[in-house]
Amino acid sequence: MITRPPTVRDAGGGGGKINRELVLSTALELIDRDGVGALSMRRLAAALDRDPMILYRHAPSKAALLDGVVETVLAQLRVDAADPDWAAQLRAVARDYRALALAHPNVVPLLVTRPLATPLALRPRGTLRPLEDILALLTRAGFSGPDALHVYRAFIGFLNGHLLNELQELVDNADETDDLLRLGLHRLPIGEFPLLRSLAHALAAYDGAAELERGLDILLTGLATTLSRPA
């Protein structure tokens, strides 16, 4: 179950007590509405009806603020490290991760890039919790520590790539009914890209949920084979 973090409205507007959780949840609201580029300490302070300098007690820099927003979103992701069916648990985590991304599409670039911008030990603890829990899930399932880390990287890399692809607009001309024209693939020379052009219908019929499940089938089947292979 995904729980909603508190917002400035929950705190009664400008008269409520300001804390880090409220600062981050309000920043998330602004990003959801206007995008990452529109977020600034001044706009955030205005939304909270506070002096901008007060915010630096809870987020000492813009980078720290963005890391905190990522932490706020990932705090809603639950991993059952004790689940005896590791593959089913990873599938459930993938579905929940996608649901969070679809609820906060403007945050997806931060989910992908912010972990790469901060050394592992300096990241907010909440952003490391899913990693720790997935490592615990996998090592209990029989993966070695290094292999569990490889699995995690492959898993998260697949999820982030899937989400970036799903949230990207593929339609070139929405008024066209022919898939080749609708996606603009007619511009590609047929002699150079025959296969890509032939897949116009499959590309136009893209279903994010179904694509996620198919990708997980391939990924988890491969991981299961790796786990069962003799040392």
Side-chain angles (χ1 to χ4, degrees), residues 20 23-24 27 31 39 41 44 55-72 110 114 117-118 122-124 127:
R20 182 175 183 271
V23 167
L24 296 178
I31 291 175
L39 179 65
M41 288 297 197
L44 181 56
L55 302 186
Y56 288 96
R57 301 175 186 172
H58 308 289
S61 67
K62 177 71 174 293
L65 181 63
L66 296 178
D67 285 340
V69 169
V70 171
E71 183 178 27
T72 297
L110 295 180
R114 286 312 305 171
T118 309
L122 298 181
R123 297 175 196 171
T127 65

Side-chain angles (χ1 to χ4, degrees), residues 3 9 14 38 45 88 107 123 125 127 135 149 153 157 168 180 188 198 208 212:
T3 57
R9 291 185 295 275
V107 179
R123 297 175 196 171
R125 295 294 186 264
T127 65
L135 291 177
L149 190 57
R153 288 169 175 161
Q168 179 178 342
L180 193 71
L188 299 179
S198 71
L212 177 72

Side-chain angles (χ1 to χ4, degrees), residues 116-195:
L116 304 177
T118 309
L120 193 64
L122 298 181
R123 297 175 196 171
R125 295 294 186 264
T127 65
L128 296 176
R129 180 51 51 193
L131 167 56
E132 181 69 20
D133 288 343
I134 289 176
L135 291 177
L137 171 73
L138 294 171
T139 53
R140 284 173 179 158
F143 288 92
S144 68
D147 278 348
L149 190 57
H150 288 314
V151 170
Y152 171 82
R153 288 169 175 161
F155 178 66
I156 291 300
F158 161 71
L159 288 181
N160 285 339
H162 168 84
L163 292 171
L164 289 174
N165 189 66
E166 181 175 358
L167 293 173
Q168 179 178 342
E169 180 59 65
L170 296 176
V171 175
D172 180 61
N173 188 343
D175 294 331
E176 289 286 356
T177 56
D178 181 272
D179 292 332
L180 193 71
L181 300 176
R182 190 164 180 261
L183 299 180
L185 294 178
H186 62 287
R187 297 190 181 92
L188 299 179
I190 192 169
E192 295 182 47
F193 302 97
L195 295 177

